[in-house]
Amino acid sequence: MRGRGGPPMGGRGGMMRPNFRPGPPFRAFIPHIPFDLVQCENVFPRAKPAPEEKACTEALLKRNTDLTPTAQEQASVLALVSKIQTILDNLVVTPGAFEAAQIEEVRQVGSFKKGTMMTGHNVADIVVLLKTLPTKEAVSALGSKVQ
C-alpha cells in the first residue's frame, strides 16, 4: 500500500532497510602475482644455453670509449672549473672592491657535474645567482673579474 506519494512500503507500516543491497557479500581484493619465468628460473632450467653476447658487449664498450673524453681532457676541464669556482666563491664570501653585482650563490650544473660529458663537447656549466639585477655592465664586470 502506498501512502501519500512516497516510496513503496514493504507491507502494512513496514519500512525497507536503507543499506540493504541484494547480491553477493563483499569480498576483499587479493592481488595475485603473475607467473614470472625469471623468478622461477632455478626450477625451470633452460632448454638451450644462453646466447653468446661477447661481440655486443665489446661493441658497447668501444662505443662508450669513443663517446667519453680522455682522462687528460677531463682533468683539464676539472682544473678550469675548480679555478673559476674558487674565484666566484671568494666573491661570494668577500666581495671587496667588486660592487657591480652581489652574488648570492654559485652552482655547477650540466653534463660535467653529472659525469656525462661527451667527446668534442668539453663544456662545464656554472650557474651564478645574483642578488641584484643582472645588467649588461654587471655581467661584463663579473666576466672581467673572473678572467
Side-chain angles (χ1 to χ4, degrees), residues 2 9-10 18-19 30 42 50 64 74 93 97 120 128 130 139 145 147:
R2 293 184 62 179
M9 298 287 192
N19 290 334
I30 301 172
N42 55 353
N64 185 38
Q74 289 181 357
V93 175
V128 179
L130 301 176
V139 173
K145 185 75 171 178
Q147 285 183 355

Side-chain angles (χ1 to χ4, degrees), residues 88 92 102-107 126-130 142:
L88 291 173
V92 169
Q102 294 178 353
I103 300 175
E104 183 175 347
E105 189 177 351
V106 178
R107 288 187 186 177
I126 296 179
V127 172
V128 179
L129 299 174
L130 301 176
L142 180 62

Side-chain angles (χ1 to χ4, degrees), residues 7-130:
M9 298 287 192
R12 190 179 285 190
M15 296 184 64
M16 294 181 66
R17 294 190 315 216
N19 290 334
F20 177 73
R21 290 187 197 130
F26 175 74
R27 289 187 352 211
F29 174 71
I30 301 172
H32 297 285
I33 299 172
F35 180 76
D36 190 2
L37 197 62
V38 175
Q39 291 179 349
C40 301
E41 191 170 5
N42 55 353
V43 177
F44 299 102
R46 292 181 176 266
K48 61 181 183 178
E52 187 65 33
E53 296 182 352
K54 185 177 179 183
C56 181
T57 305
E58 288 176 358
L60 283 172
L61 289 174
K62 182 182 181 307
R63 184 67 176 156
N64 185 38
T65 325
D66 293 343
L67 290 177
T68 55
T70 63
Q72 181 183 4
E73 291 174 338
Q74 289 181 357
S76 64
V77 171
L78 177 63
L80 181 62
V81 166
S82 59
K83 177 182 172 186
I84 292 174
Q85 184 81 31
T86 305
I87 293 170
L88 291 173
D89 286 341
N90 289 338
L91 284 176
V92 169
V93 175
T94 56
F98 183 70
E99 297 178 0
Q102 294 178 353
I103 300 175
E104 183 175 347
E105 189 177 351
V106 178
R107 288 187 186 177
Q108 292 182 22
V109 295
S111 60
F112 177 76
K113 181 182 185 270
K114 293 179 182 177
T116 57
M117 190 169 58
M118 295 178 66
T119 301
H121 191 70
N122 298 340
V123 177
D125 302 315
I126 296 179
V127 172
V128 179
L129 299 174
L130 301 176

Side-chain angles (χ1 to χ4, degrees), residues 100-101 128-140:
V128 179
L129 299 174
L130 301 176
K131 292 180 183 176
T132 59
L133 188 66
T135 61
K136 186 176 181 180
E137 294 81 21
V139 173
S140 63

